[in-house]
């Protein structure tokens, strides 16, 4: 049987860039080259991607978040069309409904090719943060995103979504439920494990043995940083002395350091180092409501770290309230602080959350998820054309 040819469109393919790109590389690193041939088309990334066929196009850095770039296919249309014609794709994989994603979708629709997409980023949840100083625009922008998402994803044949919560929101936007399939994210339980615990690492960093609350994320406003600041303030007034550890970097780091003067900032660190912090801390705090999935929550749970998170976004689906962690009213700092105190002052509860969280994380296998993806790619190729059209 001949190889299945997949043209894969993504704005950023820089390994370990963020959770979305790490998810893509979990698939990229598992491509069976005896069965599949991939052409990667991207804006930001290496000139050649891991020995695969690849085409890098012009890209521009986003002004509102200087860590992010978007591809500009209209500056490379001739190269793109020639390369795609030469490649002869059977399936189109699109990462994001961006300029490049829409180019790929239009190409697929013109040529009668099936499209698979993974819903990585819940863009509509970012609007409140980036337009908070222009509130009159928020409603119109959200309506525009809703219409664009509806048009984009309803023209795909299969859309992977990471949680029931996000699927419900997308259905409310008008995206067909039949297009969507729950496809979570895996976790490397050899990397993230309670066995990585090394309390001396945190003690060397803090110069004390106080309990440690850890927040790990990109330091960008859509992570609900204003609530993080308020939680920090609440914890400073509590009777229990604590360490507040912030892992990550981003455009809001300077503000975070100014606003949380006693917190310890590590900057961006690799996952080997991060896994030790998770296993050695006492509580994982995550107030973000903009997650489609929330990789950091699963990483913390796999490390045996009790979690206190927002009751919002895709992350909330991991937590059974009071069983394997706590979910809090998203913008209520006092709620988070009270739940953190409960864990720090109740060893039995902390141990319960740790045990239950470990059980939850063990059910998430990248190998199984990748196999599902590659099976679905093949099934899209070998379906009769009329089966690819939503009835």
């Amino acid at each position: 049987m001949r190889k299945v040819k997949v043209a894969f469109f993504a704005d950023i393919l820089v390994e370990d860039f963020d959770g979305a790109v790490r998810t893509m590389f979990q698939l990229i690193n598992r491509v069976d080259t005896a069965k599949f041939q991939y052409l990667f088309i991207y804006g930001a990334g290496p000139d050649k991607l891991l020995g695969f066929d690849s085409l890098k196009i012009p890209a521009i850095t986003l002004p509102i978040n200087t860590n992010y770039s978007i591809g500009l296919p209209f500056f490379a249309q001739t190269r793109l069309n020639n390369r795609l014609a030469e490649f002869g794709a059977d399936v189109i994989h699109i990462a994001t409904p961006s300029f490049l994603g829409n180019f790929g979708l239009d190409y697929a629709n013109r040529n009668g090719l099936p499209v698979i997409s993974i819903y990585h980023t819940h863009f509509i949840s970012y609007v409140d943060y980036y337009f908070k100083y222009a509130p009159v625009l928020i409603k119109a922008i959200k309506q525009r995103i809703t219409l664009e998402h509806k048009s984009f994803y309803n023209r795909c044949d299969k859309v992977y979504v990471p949680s029931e919560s996000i699927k419900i929101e997308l259905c409310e936007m008008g995206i067909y439920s039949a297009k969507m399939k729950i496809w979570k994210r895996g976790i490397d339980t050899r990397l993230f494990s309670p066995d990585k615990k090394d309390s001396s690492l945190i003690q060397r960093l803090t110069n004390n043995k106080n309990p440690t609350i850890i927040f790990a994320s990109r330091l960008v406003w859509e992570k609900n940083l204003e609530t993080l600041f308020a939680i920090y303030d609440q914890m400073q007034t509590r009777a229990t002395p604590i360490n507040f550890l912030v892992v990550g970097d981003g455009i809001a780091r300077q503000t975070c350091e100014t606003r949380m003067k006693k917190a310890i900032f590590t900057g961006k660190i690799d996952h080997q180092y991060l896994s030790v912090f998770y296993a050695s801390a006492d509580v994982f705090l995550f107030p973000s409501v903009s997650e489609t999935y929330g990789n950091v929550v699963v990483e913390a749970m796999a490390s045996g770290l009790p979690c206190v998170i927002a009751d919002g976004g895709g992350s909330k689906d991991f937590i059974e309230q009071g069983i394997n962690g706590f979910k809090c009213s998203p913008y209520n700092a006092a709620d988070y602080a009270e739940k953190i105190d409960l864990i720090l002052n109740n060893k039995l509860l902390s141990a319960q959350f740790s045990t239950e969280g470990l059980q939850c994380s063990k059910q998430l296998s990248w190998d199984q998820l990748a196999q599902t993806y590659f099976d679905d790619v093949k099934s899209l190729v070998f379906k009769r054309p009329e089966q690819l059209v939503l009835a």
Side-chain angles (χ1 to χ4, degrees):
M1 186 180 294
R2 71 172 180 85
K3 296 180 183 179
V4 174
K5 293 185 176 183
V6 183
F8 189 113
F9 292 81
D11 288 275
I12 301 172
L13 283 178
V14 178
E15 195 161 5
D16 275 340
F17 178 80
D18 64 5
V21 180
R22 282 193 290 274
T23 294
M24 295 182 221
F25 272 90
Q26 290 292 346
L27 299 176
I28 294 167
N29 290 329
R30 288 175 169 81
V31 172
D32 183 345
T33 55
K35 297 178 180 178
F36 296 90
Q37 184 177 349
Y38 271 72
L39 167 63
F40 290 96
I41 299 169
Y42 50 95
D47 291 333
K48 190 72 174 176
L49 187 71
L50 300 176
F52 289 103
D53 291 340
S54 54
L55 177 61
K56 189 175 179 180
I57 68 166
I60 188 171
T61 300
L62 291 176
I64 60 173
N65 189 335
T66 55
N67 291 324
Y68 275 82
S69 300
I70 55 172
L72 303 174
F74 26 86
F75 291 136
Q77 287 195 52
T78 301
R79 279 198 299 143
L80 277 166
N81 286 321
N82 289 343
R83 191 63 177 275
L84 285 163
E86 176 189 341
F87 182 66
D90 300 303
V91 178
I92 302 296
H93 177 129
I94 300 173
T96 310
S98 58
F99 295 133
L100 181 58
N102 275 282
F103 177 93
L105 183 59
D106 290 341
Y107 176 86
N109 291 168
R110 285 197 311 271
N111 290 276
L113 298 175
V115 178
I116 188 168
S117 182
I118 301 175
Y119 190 79
H120 291 289
T121 307
H122 201 38
F123 289 109
I124 200 165
S125 66
Y126 291 12
V127 175
D128 289 326
Y129 297 99
Y130 284 106
F131 293 90
K132 64 182 179 181
Y133 297 117
V136 69
L137 299 176
I138 289 176
K139 183 177 179 181
I141 293 170
K142 285 185 175 181
Q143 288 175 339
R144 178 69 180 268
I145 290 173
T146 295
L147 289 172
E148 290 178 349
H149 276 23
K150 180 180 176 180
S151 172
F152 183 90
Y153 288 111
N154 281 342
R155 290 194 289 146
C156 296
D157 297 286
K158 190 176 291 290
V159 181
Y160 283 161
V161 293
S163 66
E164 290 290 349
S165 297
I166 295 298
K167 183 177 180 180
I168 290 168
E169 287 194 46
L170 294 179
C171 285
E172 290 171 350
M173 289 185 187
I175 298 169
Y176 301 134
S177 178
K179 296 275 188 181
M180 293 185 278
K181 179 175 183 174
I182 298 296
W183 189 83
K184 296 187 177 181
R185 303 291 187 269
I187 186 71
D188 183 348
T189 54
R190 293 166 297 181
L191 173 60
F192 297 103
S193 164
D195 296 338
K196 295 291 185 72
K197 183 173 183 177
D198 180 4
S199 300
S200 64
L201 175 67
I202 290 181
Q203 289 173 20
R204 290 195 301 272
L205 197 63
T206 62
N207 293 317
N208 64 60
K209 295 184 179 181
N210 295 336
T212 296
I213 301 164
I214 183 172
F215 169 83
S217 174
R218 289 180 298 117
L219 300 182
V220 290
W221 293 108
E222 64 264 25
K223 300 299 181 180
N224 198 10
L225 296 180
E226 294 285 0
T227 301
L228 179 70
F229 301 160
I231 298 165
Y232 168 87
D233 290 341
Q234 287 270 339
M235 295 308 300
Q236 300 308 305
T237 67
R238 302 270 162 163
T240 305
I242 53 96
N243 300 310
F244 212 90
L245 182 62
V246 178
V247 178
D249 209 343
I251 58 172
R253 178 170 175 176
Q254 186 174 353
T255 304
C256 290
E257 291 184 346
T258 301
R259 188 61 183 73
M260 300 185 291
K261 293 186 181 300
K262 294 182 181 180
I264 298 166
F265 291 81
T266 68
K268 186 176 181 179
I269 60 177
D270 65 37
H271 276 71
Q272 292 290 342
Y273 204 21
L274 175 60
S275 66
V276 179
F277 278 133
Y278 279 140
S280 309
D282 297 278
V283 176
F284 180 68
L285 170 64
F286 197 58
S288 174
V289 294
S290 65
E291 308 304 304
T292 54
Y293 184 72
N295 291 292
V296 290
V297 177
V298 185
E299 291 167 0
M301 294 173 82
S303 304
L305 183 59
C307 296
V308 176
I309 72 168
D311 189 9
S315 305
K316 69 179 183 182
D317 288 12
F318 293 120
I319 300 297
E320 294 182 69
Q321 186 74 323
I323 303 298
N324 65 353
F326 282 131
K327 293 183 283 192
C328 301
S329 178
Y331 306 101
N332 185 341
D335 192 14
Y336 291 93
E338 288 167 7
K339 299 296 194 301
I340 291 170
D341 260 354
L342 281 174
I343 294 171
L344 294 180
N345 293 297
N346 189 328
K347 291 183 178 180
L348 288 177
L349 182 64
S350 176
Q352 174 190 317
F353 285 179
S354 177
T355 300
E356 294 292 337
L358 286 168
Q359 290 302 313
C360 176
S361 65
K362 286 176 181 176
Q363 300 170 23
L364 303 170
S365 163
W366 272 123
D367 287 337
Q368 291 178 10
L369 289 162
Q371 188 60 56
T372 296
Y373 165 79
F374 290 116
D375 286 346
D376 283 342
V377 167
K378 285 190 290 186
S379 74
L380 287 173
V381 178
F382 298 114
K383 280 183 177 180
R384 297 191 305 275
E386 61 269 21
Q387 289 180 287
L388 297 176
V389 180
L390 185 71

